[in-house]
Amino acid sequence: MTRALERQLIVILDFGSQYSELIARRIRETQVYSEVLSYRASAEQLRALSPKGIILSGGPSSVYDAGAPQCDPEIWELGIPVLGVCYGMQLMVKQLGGKVERAKRGEYGKAALSIDDPTDLLTNVEDGATMWMSHGDSCVSLPQGFEVLAHTENTPSAAVAHPEKRLFGVQFHPEVVHSVGGIALIRNFVYHICECEPTWTTEAFVEESVREIRAKVGEKRVLLALSGGVDSSTLAFLLHRAIGDNLTCMFIDQGFMRKGEPERLVTLFDEQFHIPVQYVNARERFLAQLEGITDPEEKRRRIGHEFIRVFEEESNRLGPFDYLAQGTLYPDVIESADSNIDPKSGERVAVKIKSHHNVGGLPKNLRFKLVEPLRKLFKDEVRKLGRSIGLPEEIVRRHPFPGPGLAIRIIGEVTAERLNILRDADFIVRDEISKRGIYHDYWQAFAVLLPVRSVGVMGDQRTYAHPVVLRFITSEDGMTADWARVPYDILEAIANRIVNEVKGVNRVVYDITSKPPGTIEWE
């Protein structure tokens, strides 16, 4: 999709780094389109894409290990600028005749970058700037034609270049926020070295998406899986602009939404946006699907399949429909790893962290054709898109909410009783931070219900009830996250309300796990 916008393309070859998506997002911030591909992409495939530049990501391997991932060596002869990051730099050095060995001293965390050549890649990067290191190997000799651009106390070759071939490498991670001047380096590569133009803008995306939706759909009808979140709501506005009344929005109330949200959603779309919504109450059938199920992947699979079944049934009543629209995003596609499977070996390039109900849950016999205009966008880009086409702030800035909803915030079996407990506890979390004006200080803030009980005392009586976990997250994009340092008085107020107002809860605890090693959601 958006082929015209993708002509200014930077390709990221993924070698298994947790930061590959982040590199792509940083490129997008320069208003240049970027895309993550498997490191197995051949030089021929890359030549066909005609990218303006190629970035080799970091990765967990050592380049000298048996079976370490390798890129096609013909990439160096394409005449396309290449930037190797960490493992990507070491691979470049090794494949072009240099030498990489285990370093006498590894380098992890912050390091001061001493710049030897401030031109090209390092223009406007201050000498002594802090960069984020994460490596145990070092380039001990460089290939012919390469020169050192910068060093650190422990790394003689922290940044290198072959100016004539426009090949560059950095041993640090310019894409992370800890690297001061990292975005300046990325802009140098994108604009000055790759000579890209800033064509990846919200306005251009809207204009071209509308054209492509109309060309694909024509006069046929589209059924949208509306959830009320920023993704599906933005998609509803975009599709309504493109095809008008040929769009039918259907909200399937699976019983896993937050308190009051189904009613609010239908009212908002019908009365304020004038986009009719077909409401379907399917709470009982979804709950029946999860009876006795405790495995999180099985929960997601069953919810995803039931969504499709309900849509098929309801479309027969309201249809016919040729297309099913979904608010699938780019991180959903990458994290599910369905697009990163080697066709010969069947081996996954990336580890599958979890299935996304709108990526991994679709049956092979799905009779709808899919329309997914947002599947190339990151969450922050969707928010910008939503604002540009008139979506109200209460939806644009709504905390991310998983497709399976509260079902994956209840650890273990999902029951009606547990849903009611969690729904009430979650409402208190949101109510407290909203009335204090700090709702938008957090990427997400929610409650999790555990399948255990603990002893407590309320009044003069012993209790044996559930603990609730509070999860407050700060993040820029959801790919990495840190636990929020919430003031104690706020945590205390939330905990007091939960144990006093929510029947079945006698203990509240706080999750202080970052991502990684944890995920934002518990399942």
Side-chain angles (χ1 to χ4, degrees):
M1 88 170 268
T2 58
R3 292 182 183 88
L5 300 182
E6 292 172 14
R7 289 172 189 155
Q8 300 285 323
L9 168 65
I10 300 291
V11 167
I12 296 95
L13 296 186
D14 180 17
F15 289 87
S17 171
Q18 61 178 310
Y19 298 129
S20 295
E21 292 178 46
L22 188 53
I23 296 174
R25 186 173 171 275
R26 293 291 182 244
I27 301 298
R28 303 272 187 99
E29 288 176 1
T30 69
Q31 297 187 333
V32 172
Y33 182 71
S34 62
E35 192 163 316
V36 180
L37 301 180
S38 164
Y39 69 86
R40 294 185 176 92
S42 67
E44 182 179 351
Q45 291 170 320
L46 292 171
R47 186 182 291 109
L49 290 173
S50 299
K52 302 284 283 187
I54 299 169
I55 297 179
L56 311 184
S57 81
S61 303
S62 292
V63 294
Y64 47 75
D65 287 343
Q70 307 284 320
C71 65
D72 186 341
E74 293 185 18
I75 287 174
W76 316 120
E77 305 303 324
L78 288 175
I80 298 172
V82 179
L83 172 63
V85 175
C86 201
Y87 180 90
M89 167 180 160
Q90 295 166 5
L91 182 63
M92 177 189 297
V93 167
K94 181 177 180 295
Q95 286 193 343
L96 292 173
K99 191 174 183 180
V100 179
E101 293 180 349
R102 170 64 63 181
K104 293 180 180 180
R105 290 181 61 186
E107 201 168 27
Y108 300 93
K110 297 177 181 178
L113 187 71
S114 298
I115 297 178
D116 302 298
D117 184 347
T119 60
D120 292 331
L121 190 67
L122 299 179
T123 301
N124 296 324
V125 178
E126 291 187 11
D127 188 30
T130 297
M131 294 297 176
W132 189 259
M133 296 286 189
S134 181
H135 66 100
D137 297 328
S138 182
C139 299
V140 296
S141 66
L142 299 179
Q144 185 175 357
F146 276 78
E147 57 189 47
V148 174
L149 301 181
H151 65 277
T152 68
E153 183 179 353
N154 295 329
T155 304
S157 302
V160 301
H162 190 306
E164 293 181 5
K165 291 189 174 182
R166 294 187 296 172
L167 304 178
F168 300 84
V170 293
Q171 190 59 76
F172 49 88
H173 288 273
E175 70 275 16
V176 303
V177 294
H178 309 291
S179 290
V180 179
I183 191 64
L185 185 152
I186 289 172
R187 292 174 67 88
N188 289 337
F189 181 72
V190 170
Y191 288 140
H192 304 313
I193 296 170
C194 299
E195 300 179 343
C196 290
E197 298 290 335
T199 59
W200 182 252
T201 64
T202 301
E203 294 75 15
F205 180 86
V206 171
E207 183 179 336
E208 187 159 338
S209 293
V210 167
R211 283 201 304 268
E212 291 189 355
I213 291 167
R214 288 172 177 168
K216 180 175 184 177
V217 172
E219 296 299 318
K220 295 181 179 178
R221 299 179 66 196
V222 177
L223 180 62
L224 169 61
L226 185 66
S227 71
V230 63
D231 304 336
S232 65
S233 298
T234 298
L235 180 56
F237 270 53
L238 184 63
L239 288 168
H240 194 256
R241 177 175 293 192
I243 60 176
D245 292 339
N246 283 339
L247 169 68
T248 296
C249 293
M250 184 185 296
F251 172 64
I252 302 296
D253 185 358
Q254 85 287 55
F256 307 141
M257 296 290 286
R258 294 178 286 202
K259 194 170 186 175
E261 284 194 332
E263 298 80 5
R264 174 62 177 160
L265 171 69
V266 174
T267 300
L268 200 62
F269 270 76
D270 274 345
E271 296 181 3
Q272 186 171 330
F273 307 152
H274 307 295
I275 301 177
V277 177
Q278 298 291 329
Y279 173 81
V280 179
N281 187 340
R283 296 181 180 187
E284 291 186 5
R285 62 187 288 179
F286 274 90
L287 196 58
Q289 282 290 322
L290 298 186
E291 184 176 355
I293 303 301
T294 59
D295 179 73
E297 277 295 285
E298 182 64 14
K299 284 183 188 179
R300 289 176 177 271
R301 189 190 69 80
R302 287 185 176 225
I303 291 170
H305 281 210
E306 194 65 16
F307 254 108
I308 299 302
R309 296 283 80 84
V310 173
F311 274 118
E312 287 181 332
E313 293 170 16
E314 293 299 320
S315 71
N316 288 333
R317 178 175 66 87
L318 299 168
F321 296 97
D322 297 278
Y323 291 92
L324 172 64
Q326 292 196 128
T328 307
L329 303 190
Y330 198 36
D332 297 341
V333 176
I334 297 175
E335 194 167 74
S336 292
D338 291 333
S339 61
N340 289 339
I341 298 177
D342 180 60
K344 295 182 180 179
S345 66
E347 177 186 353
R348 291 190 183 276
V349 175
V351 176
K352 182 175 181 178
I353 307 299
K354 61 189 177 187
S355 296
H356 289 265
H357 77 283
N358 54 353
V359 179
L362 300 180
K364 294 180 179 178
N365 62 344
L366 180 67
R367 69 176 183 82
F368 297 108
K369 297 175 183 177
L370 291 181
V371 178
E372 300 175 300
L374 309 182
R375 76 181 280 120
K376 292 295 181 74
L377 299 185
F378 290 100
K379 176 71 75 172
D380 60 316
E381 293 176 311
V382 175
R383 294 189 194 281
K384 291 178 183 176
L385 174 61
R387 284 192 180 96
S388 74
I389 58 179
L391 205 63
E393 284 297 303
E394 71 173 279
I395 294 180
V396 170
R397 301 186 70 185
R398 176 181 184 258
H399 286 182
F401 190 61
L406 300 180
I408 59 167
R409 292 178 179 173
I410 295 175
I411 310 305
E413 183 181 7
V414 178
T415 66
E417 178 188 10
R418 290 178 176 177
L419 279 167
N420 288 333
I421 291 173
L422 182 58
R423 191 174 283 117
D424 288 343
D426 177 81
F427 172 78
I428 290 171
V429 173
R430 291 184 293 118
D431 185 53
E432 281 294 322
I433 61 176
S434 294
K435 70 184 184 182
R436 294 167 187 263
I438 58 173
Y439 178 86
H440 299 300
D441 290 355
Y442 308 104
W443 175 264
Q444 283 178 254
F446 57 91
V448 177
L449 184 65
L450 300 186
V452 297
R453 295 177 187 269
S454 66
V455 174
V457 58
M458 299 179 75
D460 294 324
Q461 295 188 353
R462 174 186 182 273
T463 61
Y464 192 53
H466 291 286
V468 161
V469 179
L470 301 183
R471 182 80 161 135
F472 282 65
I473 288 299
T474 58
S475 180
E476 287 192 356
D477 46 40
M479 291 180 285
T480 60
D482 195 11
W483 60 277
R485 277 60 172 176
V486 182
Y488 290 158
D489 63 320
I490 297 175
L491 292 176
E492 181 181 31
I494 292 172
N496 283 341
R497 282 192 61 185
I498 289 176
V499 297
N500 281 286
E501 298 177 25
V502 182
K503 185 178 179 180
V505 177
N506 67 353
R507 189 180 299 271
V508 177
V509 299
Y510 190 61
D511 183 352
I512 59 170
T513 311
S514 61
K515 174 188 179 182
T519 54
I520 293 177
E521 301 292 342
W522 272 50
E523 289 192 340

